[in-house]
Short mmCIF file of all heavy atoms in Angstrom, two decimals:
data_model
loop_
_atom_site.label_atom_id
_atom_site.label_comp_id
_atom_site.label_asym_id
_atom_site.label_seq_id
_atom_site.Cartn_x
_atom_site.Cartn_y
_atom_site.Cartn_z
N GLU A 111 2.04 -2.68 3.43
CA GLU A 111 2.28 -4.04 2.93
C GLU A 111 2.15 -4.07 1.42
O GLU A 111 1.69 -3.10 0.79
CB GLU A 111 1.29 -5.05 3.56
CG GLU A 111 -0.16 -4.88 3.20
CD GLU A 111 -1.08 -5.86 3.94
OE1 GLU A 111 -0.62 -6.59 4.82
OE2 GLU A 111 -2.27 -5.86 3.61
N GLY A 141 -10.40 -18.63 -24.24
CA GLY A 141 -10.68 -19.75 -23.32
C GLY A 141 -10.27 -19.47 -21.88
O GLY A 141 -10.87 -20.03 -20.95
N ALA A 147 -13.53 -18.05 -15.05
CA ALA A 147 -14.91 -17.79 -14.58
C ALA A 147 -15.48 -19.03 -13.91
O ALA A 147 -16.11 -18.94 -12.85
CB ALA A 147 -15.78 -17.36 -15.76
N ALA A 169 -8.94 -3.56 -33.14
CA ALA A 169 -9.61 -2.28 -32.91
C ALA A 169 -11.05 -2.33 -33.43
O ALA A 169 -11.96 -1.75 -32.82
CB ALA A 169 -8.83 -1.18 -33.62
N LEU A 191 -5.04 -7.17 -19.85
CA LEU A 191 -4.60 -7.08 -21.25
C LEU A 191 -3.11 -6.84 -21.35
O LEU A 191 -2.61 -6.52 -22.43
CB LEU A 191 -5.34 -5.93 -21.97
CG LEU A 191 -6.86 -6.02 -22.04
CD1 LEU A 191 -7.42 -4.74 -22.66
CD2 LEU A 191 -7.29 -7.23 -22.85
N TYR A 242 11.62 -17.20 -8.84
CA TYR A 242 10.70 -18.28 -9.23
C TYR A 242 10.19 -18.06 -10.65
O TYR A 242 10.19 -18.96 -11.48
CB TYR A 242 9.52 -18.30 -8.24
CG TYR A 242 8.48 -19.35 -8.55
CD1 TYR A 242 8.60 -20.65 -8.08
CD2 TYR A 242 7.37 -19.03 -9.34
CE1 TYR A 242 7.64 -21.60 -8.37
CE2 TYR A 242 6.41 -19.98 -9.63
CZ TYR A 242 6.55 -21.27 -9.15
OH TYR A 242 5.60 -22.20 -9.45
N TRP A 251 13.15 -13.19 -19.02
CA TRP A 251 14.35 -12.64 -18.36
C TRP A 251 14.52 -11.15 -18.64
O TRP A 251 14.93 -10.39 -17.77
CB TRP A 251 15.60 -13.43 -18.76
CG TRP A 251 16.05 -13.21 -20.18
CD1 TRP A 251 15.65 -13.94 -21.26
CD2 TRP A 251 16.94 -12.22 -20.67
NE1 TRP A 251 16.24 -13.45 -22.39
CE2 TRP A 251 17.04 -12.39 -22.06
CE3 TRP A 251 17.69 -11.20 -20.07
CZ2 TRP A 251 17.82 -11.59 -22.87
CZ3 TRP A 251 18.47 -10.38 -20.89
CH2 TRP A 251 18.55 -10.58 -22.26
#
Side-chain angles (χ1 to χ4, degrees):
E111 65 185 7
L191 299 175
Y242 178 87
W251 71 270

